[in-house]
Amino acid sequence: MKKWKWLFIGLLSVNLLLVVIIIGLIFQPADEVTPLKSGEIEGDAELTILAKKEDLNILIDKYLKRELNNQPLNYDITLTDVVQLDGTIEVFGDDIDIRMTFTPEVQDNGDIVLEQETLSIGKIQLPVKTVLRYVNNNFNLPEWVTIDPKSESVYVALQEMELQTDFNVKVEKFDLENDDIRVKLISKKE
């Protein structure tokens, strides 16, 4: 036989061998994976969310409107380099603008304490304790927000916030100046 015939038979047998191997691999069963049943999963599921101030401003606004059943709000909360509350209060039948700014401080349990920074009512400066007491008595705040006029602070108990999901909220970082906000969603224990 000539050399080209031997080369052709060799190439043909290599091709046939490759086809048999590929067909054999195709018809092999895949590695069996046993799915975990929900009762076998242990621990809490956690999801860390990185947020920007603009996104949180929208979420806060939507949450407050839903919480108050779309009643008109007499205040707005905006995140800038500080937490800013703008609202109106009624004095002698007239609406007067009020602005309070707070510096947020994250607690070990993931809640937030807002320390009073500035306060202005129109152009008049009033004692912070008096205004916080007024806000506490006259603004419709969620149950998980506690105003403490004595310490001039607002405690935001995110652990007590009612969500429509099976998660708790825990703040890990709340750096407004650098727009670095990290929130952790933790599945509730059953």
Side-chain angles (χ1 to χ4, degrees):
M1 283 176 85
K2 297 194 176 188
K3 185 178 176 181
W4 67 269
K5 286 183 184 180
W6 286 109
L7 291 174
F8 175 75
I9 292 173
L11 181 61
L12 180 64
S13 55
V14 167
N15 284 338
L16 287 175
L17 181 66
L18 285 174
V19 168
V20 168
I21 290 173
I22 290 173
I23 290 174
L25 290 174
I26 288 174
F27 289 104
Q28 289 290 320
D31 292 338
E32 192 169 319
V33 177
T34 308
L36 289 175
K37 296 178 183 169
S38 62
E40 297 174 0
I41 298 174
E42 294 182 16
D44 293 331
E46 295 183 355
L47 175 68
T48 300
I49 299 171
L50 303 176
K52 300 287 184 195
K53 291 183 276 194
E54 297 84 28
D55 299 329
L56 281 182
N57 283 331
I58 293 168
L59 287 174
I60 290 169
D61 185 54
K62 285 184 178 183
Y63 181 83
L64 290 174
K65 285 180 181 173
R66 190 190 78 218
E67 181 78 15
L68 299 173
N69 298 323
N70 287 322
Q71 296 173 11
L73 294 176
N74 57 344
Y75 65 93
D76 289 312
I77 296 175
T78 308
L79 302 178
T80 58
D81 284 348
V82 293
V83 177
Q84 183 174 303
L85 183 139
D86 292 303
T88 58
I89 58 175
E90 188 174 320
V91 177
F92 304 120
D94 290 328
D95 286 340
I96 297 176
D97 293 332
I98 180 174
R99 173 172 284 171
M100 295 185 288
T101 59
F102 300 91
T103 303
E105 183 180 313
V106 177
Q107 303 299 296
D108 290 338
N109 67 352
D111 290 344
I112 297 177
V113 172
L114 302 173
E115 299 290 337
Q116 178 73 46
E117 192 176 275
T118 63
L119 168 69
S120 63
I121 297 178
K123 302 254 180 195
I124 301 171
Q125 295 294 323
L126 292 176
V128 173
K129 291 178 186 178
T130 305
V131 175
L132 286 178
R133 192 174 300 115
Y134 180 87
V135 169
N136 193 33
N137 294 334
N138 293 294
F139 281 29
N140 192 6
L141 299 171
E143 292 178 7
W144 41 271
V145 175
T146 306
I147 296 179
D148 185 5
K150 291 180 184 176
S151 67
E152 299 179 1
S153 65
V154 177
Y155 189 84
V156 182
L158 295 173
Q159 302 295 315
E160 296 176 20
M161 182 171 64
E162 292 291 325
L163 296 177
Q164 293 180 346
T165 62
D166 292 333
F167 288 97
N168 286 332
V169 177
K170 180 179 182 181
V171 176
E172 289 187 327
K173 191 169 187 179
F174 207 78
D175 182 0
L176 293 175
E177 290 180 7
N178 295 313
D179 208 8
D180 185 10
I181 302 164
R182 297 175 196 190
V183 178
K184 186 177 280 190
L185 293 179
I186 304 168
S187 65
K188 294 179 183 177
K189 294 183 181 183
E190 295 178 7

